[in-house]
Every structure is written in structure tokens, then in C-alpha cells.
Amino acid sequence: MDGYDLVDVEVTHESADGLLDSLSEDARVGDHTQSVQAVRLQAGQPDSELRSLKQLDETSVKLLEHQVDAAYRALFEMGGKALLADEVGLGKTIEVGMILKEMHFRETDDSVLILTPAQLAKQWQAELREKFGLDFVCNYDDEFSGFDDHDYIIASIDTAKSDRHRSTVLKRDWDVLVLDEAHYVKNEDTDRYDLIDRLSYNYAFFLTATPIQNELTDLYNVVSLLRPGLFGTRDVFHQYFVNSDQETLVNRNELQERLNEVMIRNRRADTDIDFTDRTVDTRQFDQSPAERELYQAVSDYVKGAYSQNQGQKLVLMLLQKEVVSSPAALKHTIEKRLHEQSELTHADELETILDLVENIDTITKQERLLDIVEEARDNVEKGRVIVFTQFRATQRQVLERLASEGYTVHSFHGGHSSQEKEQIVEDFEEDGGILISTDAMSEGRNLQFCNMLVNLDLPWNPMRVEQRIGRIHRIGQKRKVYIFNMALKDTVEEYVLERLYHKIDLFQQSIGELSSILSRLEESGTSFEDEIFERLVNAGSEVDLENDFDDMAIDLQEQRELADKLEEFNSGVFDGFDLGASDD
């Protein structure tokens, strides 16, 4: 729990009164500042409405009722300091856009710093410009010349905390701070937390869909950065609000009142948004004899090498994933390994695998991919399809194959500059065709103009699968979404897909639900991918492997039940604290 243990204490009426006094005293510390900020926001402008909304172009942005309400409450009921904690996909960025537009209208935004994960900085910049007419410089722009040279800046939080920029960022008094994905600063022992803790600002808006990920301390740390003193000290918070086993809350009404001062959380179920349907089509294909021989040779090599030297684990795991992605991906890694380590054990086996790669004339997945994209060419607007793969070598091979068939193709990977990535997305939207992407595309980007996605190979971590799907299945998507999963029969890919992903109903869940399942499963320190690999290499037979994956599926179902209980707990925190326990 971020380095702190829950305090095991029975809260009596007498001690509760003392703790409440302590909480109230801490909360009063910032009252005067809050009042000054609120007055400044309202100066010269009545706060009965968001006046800047009249300036917005309705063709650029469609504002939803819950978003307008959130912006209004953040500005005028919370004094310009708010935690926007809507569930995934409800448009928290739009809420911030409205807030910043209104502050610009009221001239209370002399300097604004927006901190985001690196991959989302350019998207924030584009959305604020296109939807709200707000111009920000991004730290990835050529014209960016430092945090003391511009008044409206969007930057990755890791750039801001770097040795090069940290002192400059902290030296300024910022009018407005926006922090995206605020749960990344929940750990007070990190440089990110320390940066936000030391920043000077008048107004602040934090965004997160998961204010509680594992412990109530997550919520305490994030809220205390935004509104210091609201919950008192950490010890007081634990003693006053949490009982020793952390399964029920005490003094829930008081916690609710304090959260209502700073947090806004809209849930999908409570909005009138009609998300489009998601159709999942899983296609499994028989391997050719040459592909089957190659897969068996790689699996045998991986098992043998791992049993002798566990230090090779990451490379061996990579080979097991690449063999079901493409011969090109496998060949690239083996040749690199042979070149870099001339005295490599099992070199003869790797040379044999390379010979088997050369024997493959037809790549089953790529041929079957042609069937899918041909359907799209006839039935989907501009024939747009996004094809995801984990490997650059696979990406290059697929690009060549599709281009040879006359398709318009686009390539997206982590090696592109920020400007190149923006241009690729624009070209894909304008020209249509097939976008072949690595997982560099899988977080944050908005691609609602496309409604068809193919997982050419499947990551072993289900979060990454849902992140891919989330690029097209989100607010703004007006059509049914089609997801195609491709897998080779009798491979680890089939086991992962059929025995794990379908057991937890992966393709119908949200990022938040998956995060809860996986975070609780991985508390032991073993990742989801590690677990799959260990079961794969340690199985003595095909029957053992099937049984092992069935056992893992049962574990997942149990974790899902725990995740459901966590959701009930969160609902208690956010939606009235009705957890069936009386206040002490």
C-alpha cells in the first residue's frame, strides 16, 4: 500500500470526535485560498452558466449533459480544484476543454501547464485546438524552447520531472495545472508525485478513471495533492474512515461530504450515452505442415533452453510469441541472437529453426487476413481496417503483402516522430485503406472514424488487447464495431484465446474491470504473461497443458469475483457509501 500499512484501531465516539476536529482543522487551512480563487473565477462574470459555450462550434464538438455539468461544478462549486473521475470513455478531456475555454473567457488562465503520459501529449494538443480553439505548444514541437518561454504548455510528465526541466517547471507560479492519468502519481515515493507536490499553481484539474486501484491510500494520496488537508494526515484518514480489515468503511457520510468537495465521477450506467455494439469474430486456422513443424521446433527449443538457463526467459518468451506472428519476426530475433552471441549454447538448434523458416512458402495468417480486408473493402467506409501486430518484422511483411494486392496501406510504429504519427493518422482517415500498427498505437489515440480492427497476433496481457479495441470503441463511434481475432490452432495462442480470454469474457469488458482483475492477480509479483509462459514450458504433455490453462482460467474467474467485490467497494465510496455497515 505505497509503503504504509493500515492502522488497526477501534474508533470510539470519543476518539472519533477528536479525529474529526483534526480533520476539520486541516481542511480549514486552505479555505481562505479557495475563497479567493472562487472570487477570482467569478469576478465580473456571474457564475450562473458557462458563457464560453456559446462560442463553440457545434460541428467540432458535441457537448454531453454530464460533461457540461462536470465543468460547471469543477469551476464554481469546487473553486477551480477538482478530481474528474468519470469512468473510461465518458470524455474527461472534453470536460477539461470546457473548463479551460471558460477560464480563458474569464481571463483567469495566464499560464497553463497540462501534464500527460508521453503518447497522449499531441492528441491533447490537437483536441484542444480543433474542438475549443485553444492553442498550446507541446514539448515535442520544434518551436518548444523550454517551460519558461511559453504560457500554454502541454508536456509529458516525465519530461517535466527530468533533470533538464524540473527546476524550470518548479520555479514558475502556474495559473492552471491539468494532470491526466492522475493515478500515476498515487505513490508518494516517486519523482512524479514529488513534482506535483512541489508545483505552485492556483487552479488544478486532475483526471483519472481509477481513483482507487488497490487501496484507499491511492485515493488519499491523489486527493491530498489536489486539496491538501482535506483528509487530514494519513494516519488520521485511516483511523477515521477505514476499519482494520478494509472491507467496510466507517464514518461514510463524512467521507462522502469531503469527496463531494473535490471529486466528480460519472458512470456509464448513469448517462444517456448509447455506446454502439461490439461484435467479436474469432477465427482459428489450421497450420500448414511446414508451420506446424516450425512451431514444434521453437517450442521444444524454448522448453529445453529454459530448463537449463532461466536468465533467457524474456528472449524465449519472445520467440514463443513470434512463431505464431510471422516467420519474419522469428527470423529477425534468431539472426540477431546468433550474431550477438557467437558462443551461444544451442546454436545448432537455432540454425535448424532458421532452415525451417525458409521452408515456409505460404503464411496462413497473412493469406486469411486478405479474406478479412477484402470483406472490409466491400462493406466498410473507405475500406478502413486497423491491423495490430506486436512485431515490426511482421508489420513490414504484412505491408508488403497487402500493397502487392493493390491495397492502400499505412504503417504506424514507435519509431515515428510525433509529427509523423499525426500525419499517418490523418492520411488513414482521409485516404482509407489498411493501417498496420504495432502497439505504439494502442493507448490514448482516438480513431472513431474506423470501426473495424484485426488482432493479427494476440498479446498475452489482456489489458493490451482491450487498449487496442479502445481506439475505435469509444464516445464518438457511431457504428457497430467489428473485432477479428486471428489464431493458429494447436498453439499457445489458441490456449490463451479460448481458455483464458473467453473465460473472463475479455472482449466485452472495460479497461477498468480488466485492471481490477489483473492487479489483484499480479499482487504476488508474477505477471500475467509470466504465468502463461511458466505453464507452457513446464507442462509435461498436451493434456497437462490443457489442465494447467484450465486451472489458470479458474484463478481468473476467482479474481474476477474479487474485482466485482472491489467494484462494490468503489461504488460504496463513490455512490453513497451503502456497504451494509453502520457508522461508528
Side-chain angles (χ1 to χ4, degrees), residues 392-416:
R392 291 277 293 274
T394 302
Q395 181 188 46
R396 288 190 292 268
Q397 197 171 57
V398 171
L399 280 165
E400 293 173 4
R401 184 73 177 92
L402 290 173
S404 71
E405 295 292 329
Y407 287 93
T408 300
V409 293
H410 313 268
S411 171
F412 188 106
H413 56 71
H416 294 300

Side-chain angles (χ1 to χ4, degrees), residues 160-210:
K161 74 174 179 62
S162 67
D163 292 340
R164 179 182 178 186
H165 295 294
R166 179 184 176 85
S167 61
T168 306
V169 173
L170 293 177
K171 187 168 59 178
R172 290 192 69 168
D173 293 322
W174 300 94
D175 226 20
V176 185
L177 170 67
V178 175
L179 177 63
D180 193 16
E181 306 293 358
H183 51 273
Y184 287 152
V185 301
K186 65 184 175 65
N187 188 336
E188 72 274 14
D189 295 325
T190 63
D191 290 341
R192 290 175 177 175
Y193 182 98
D194 186 68
L195 177 76
I196 305 302
D197 191 33
R198 294 173 181 270
L199 269 172
S200 173
Y201 50 83
N202 294 320
Y203 307 101
F205 306 96
F206 289 8
L207 291 76
T208 178
T210 53

Side-chain angles (χ1 to χ4, degrees), residues 119 123 412 421-422 441 443-447 471 474:
Q119 70 272 17
Q123 181 169 294
F412 188 106
K421 289 175 180 176
E422 297 302 315
M441 172 71 81
E443 284 193 55
R445 298 248 166 206
N446 297 325
L447 301 171
R471 298 312 97 227
R474 56 199 297 118

Side-chain angles (χ1 to χ4, degrees), residues 508-525:
Q508 300 301 329
Q509 290 190 75
S510 71
I511 286 281
E513 290 168 325
L514 286 173
S515 178
S516 297
I517 293 171
L518 296 180
S519 64
R520 302 188 79 80
L521 184 68
E522 295 178 1
E523 283 177 356
S524 64

Side-chain angles (χ1 to χ4, degrees), residues 65-82:
E65 182 178 353
H66 76 271
Q67 295 169 339
V68 175
D69 178 68
Y72 180 88
R73 289 178 59 197
L75 281 170
F76 303 122
E77 295 180 8
M78 298 181 176
K81 285 190 176 181

